[in-house]
């Protein structure tokens, strides 16, 4: 039912730039409703509207030449059901804040991204992920969403009640409506430890060694600089009866050596912002992310690209790109390899495929990065790369679309929920089809 009244819109101003400063979200205005009813009234009166999260995307997935909306003025609701091991949150809650509340209730998130600063709604909509052979994308933990659709109606969709469309609705790039609340699965809290090993020899770039590294913990990140070896392995082990990770890694492991002190994944950056690397057990939310919630991890002067490839072919994929190393390194801060378990979400880059991610954190040199990406993508082409929706890539839209067997089902769902394309922008029109 359409709302008959609403709280006045408290903010109408320019949306500004992304966290990195590389994406201009458009002229606005930017609306900030303070209630669901106010949001419904806003949507009902709009012919165009896009939602902004915490502005950590490097692509133009949220940019628009029309009005935008932020949910930052909404009540920061976190409702934990300890019996069901679930939590209902408003979409603007940051993962770090949610994880602290869950821990206080004896529960934890199944996984977290490297940044705890990102919002639950934005991360779910764009397929953001952490790392771990058994860990799926963050959106896979969502079991119910509440969203305002194009006519201003409030719609609830759940994994149990709406199985025919739910896998298409969670990760939707903001095209189906404005998500107001999400309900997520939680798991029992268990302590974790994190250690870092450095300077692995070049022979450890083979498939077996990489598989052993990436399987050494609940979450593993490998950092390198396209010079033929892994520079850092961040291993996060969960200490519970359900894992075999109780034994800490030795000081010398697979030819790498334990770091003598805290390190940052980007050379030259202070490690003050990073989570504990001493190997001491602690709460999962203080080990799973690379960075601490109370700090901004860096200045944001970077660009990111990332491609999902079949996990069993990660060594081949890295070897294919390695000849470009001399051209990559001058533009690069660091590269990261992570893994993501397969899921069923229609627009997930890990759909139906156990995946490894080839990630680049570039210096803020957009023209030079844009010129090099097509060559990187050409070398990754034999591995059917799927780009991260929230990061920069140059792949032809038809190549991207061919990677998603349920795209037509998604288009049909979009036609049903937003037939007049209130929630469109140039990015989704180009990549998903108008």
């Amino acid at each position: 039912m359409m709302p008959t009244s609403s709280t006045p819109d408290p903010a109408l101003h320019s949306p500004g730039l992304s966290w990195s400063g590389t994406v201009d979200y458009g002229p606005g205005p930017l609306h900030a409703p303070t209630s669901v009813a106010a949001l419904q009234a806003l949507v009902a009166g709009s012919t165009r509207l896009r939602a902004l999260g915490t502005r950590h995307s490097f692509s133009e997935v949220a940019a628009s030449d029309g009005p935008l909306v932020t949910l930052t003025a909404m009540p920061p609701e976190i409702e934990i059901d300890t019996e069901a091991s679930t939590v209902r949150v408003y979409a603007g809650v940051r993962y770090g804040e949610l994880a602290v509340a869950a821990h206080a209730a004896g529960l934890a998130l199944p996984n977290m991204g490297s940044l705890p600063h990102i919002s639950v709604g934005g991360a779910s909509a764009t397929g953001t992920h952490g790392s771990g052979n058994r860990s799926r994308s963050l959106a896979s933990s969502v079991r119910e969403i509440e969203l305002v659709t194009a006519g201003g109606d409030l719609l609830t969709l759940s994994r149990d009640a709406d199985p025919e469309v739910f896998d298409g609705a969670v990760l939707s790039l903001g095209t189906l409506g404005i998500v107001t609340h999400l309900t997520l699965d939680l798991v029992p809290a268990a302590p974790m430890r994190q250690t870092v090993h450095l300077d692995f020899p070049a022979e450890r770039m083979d498939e077996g060694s990489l598989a052993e590294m990436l399987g050494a913990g609940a979450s593993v990140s490998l950092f390198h600089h396209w010079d033929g070896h892994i520079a850092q392995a961040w291993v996060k082990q969960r200490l519970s009866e359900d894992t075999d990770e109780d034994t800490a890694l030795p000081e010398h492991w697979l030819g790498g050596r334990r770091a003598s002190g805290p390190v940052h994944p980007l050379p030259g950056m202070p490690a003050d912002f990073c989570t504990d690397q001493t190997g001491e057990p602690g709460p999962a939310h203080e080990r799973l992310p690379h960075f601490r919630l109370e700090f901004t991890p860096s200045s944001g002067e970077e660009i990111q690209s990332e491609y999902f490839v079949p996990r069993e072919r990660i060594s081949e994929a890295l070897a294919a790109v390695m000849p470009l190393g001399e051209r990559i390194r001058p533009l690069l801060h660091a590269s990261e390899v992570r893994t993501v378990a397969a899921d069923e979400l229609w627009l997930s880059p890990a759909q139906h495929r156990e995946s490894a991610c080839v990630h680049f954190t570039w210096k803020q040199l957009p023209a030079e990065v844009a010129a090099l990406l097509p060559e990187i993508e050409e070398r990754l082409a034999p591995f059917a790369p799927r780009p991260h929706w929230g990061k920069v890539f140059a792949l032809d839209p038809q190549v991207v679309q061919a990677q998603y067997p349920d795209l037509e089902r998604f288009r049909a769902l979009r036609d049903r929920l937003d037939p007049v394309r209130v929630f469109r922008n140039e990015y989704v029109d180009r990549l998903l089809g108008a």
Side-chain angles (χ1 to χ4, degrees), residues 60-398:
E60 296 185 341
V61 62
S64 178
D65 59 0
L68 294 102
V69 61
T70 175
L71 303 187
T72 53
M74 300 270 282
E77 300 163 334
I78 300 178
E79 303 168 4
I80 296 175
D81 185 334
T82 55
E83 290 190 11
S85 293
T86 61
V87 59
R88 178 180 178 269
V89 299
Y90 100 106
V93 165
R94 298 186 298 171
Y95 274 96
E97 298 161 341
L98 168 56
V100 170
H103 179 73
L107 297 167
L109 291 161
N111 200 8
M112 295 180 68
S114 59
L115 290 177
H117 311 74
I118 56 179
S119 68
V120 175
S124 298
T126 55
T128 297
H129 60 94
S131 186
N133 287 351
R134 292 173 290 182
S135 296
R136 298 177 298 169
S137 65
L138 301 183
S140 294
S141 296
V142 178
R143 63 179 306 108
E144 184 174 280
I145 59 171
E146 301 164 45
L147 68 161
V148 177
T149 57
D153 299 312
L154 188 62
L155 174 67
T156 298
L157 295 171
S158 76
R159 186 190 301 156
D160 295 333
D162 306 282
E164 71 285 357
V165 298
F166 187 70
D167 286 341
V170 179
L171 199 172
S172 64
L173 308 183
T175 61
L176 304 182
I178 308 298
V179 175
T180 63
H181 294 81
L182 306 93
T183 301
L184 285 71
D185 292 322
L186 298 175
V187 298
M192 296 192 75
R193 70 160 65 92
Q194 177 175 229
T195 55
V196 177
H197 281 71
L198 309 175
D199 300 328
F200 294 83
E203 56 264 29
R204 292 302 185 180
M205 294 295 285
D206 67 282
E207 200 71 54
S209 296
L210 290 178
E212 187 171 351
M213 289 184 198
L214 291 166
S219 176
V220 179
S221 290
L222 308 180
F223 293 94
H224 67 112
H225 304 92
W226 299 100
D227 52 5
H229 75 100
I230 298 299
Q232 300 179 14
W234 293 43
V235 179
K236 305 158 193 279
Q237 297 175 302
R238 182 173 283 111
L239 310 179
S240 74
E241 296 179 356
D242 298 329
T243 72
D244 56 0
E245 299 169 8
D246 288 343
T247 302
L249 296 177
E251 183 175 352
H252 296 280
W253 175 58
L254 297 177
R257 57 179 174 82
R258 174 81 177 268
S260 59
V263 297
H264 192 286
L266 305 189
M269 290 290 293
D272 304 4
F273 309 150
C274 298
T275 49
D276 183 277
Q277 302 165 16
T278 65
E280 288 296 317
H285 64 273
E286 295 179 2
R287 303 295 186 271
L288 268 176
H290 295 337
F291 303 103
R292 296 158 61 185
L293 178 63
E294 62 267 33
F295 291 104
T296 301
S298 73
S299 64
E301 294 181 355
E302 61 192 55
I303 301 169
Q304 293 185 11
S305 303
E306 187 171 43
Y307 304 91
F308 289 58
V309 300
R311 185 187 303 165
E312 70 275 9
R313 303 192 68 188
I314 182 58
S315 180
E316 294 178 73
L318 295 176
V321 179
M322 202 67 70
L324 297 176
E326 289 189 4
R327 297 173 57 197
I328 291 174
R329 285 192 294 277
L331 309 182
L332 191 72
H333 285 304
S335 270
E336 184 177 5
V337 177
R338 292 183 283 179
T339 56
V340 183
D343 61 43
E344 302 299 318
L345 305 180
W346 297 354
L347 294 186
S348 169
Q351 189 199 32
H352 301 162
R353 191 168 78 180
E354 303 291 338
S355 300
C357 303
V358 181
H359 172 95
F360 302 82
T361 297
W362 303 104
K363 297 174 183 176
Q364 204 170 83
L365 299 168
E368 292 87 340
V369 169
L372 187 56
L373 284 180
E375 295 188 54
I376 292 173
E377 293 169 355
E378 182 179 2
R379 289 177 176 269
L380 289 175
F383 311 100
R386 296 172 178 168
H388 189 308
W389 297 110
K391 299 180 182 180
V392 175
F393 58 93
L395 287 169
D396 183 274
Q398 291 186 337

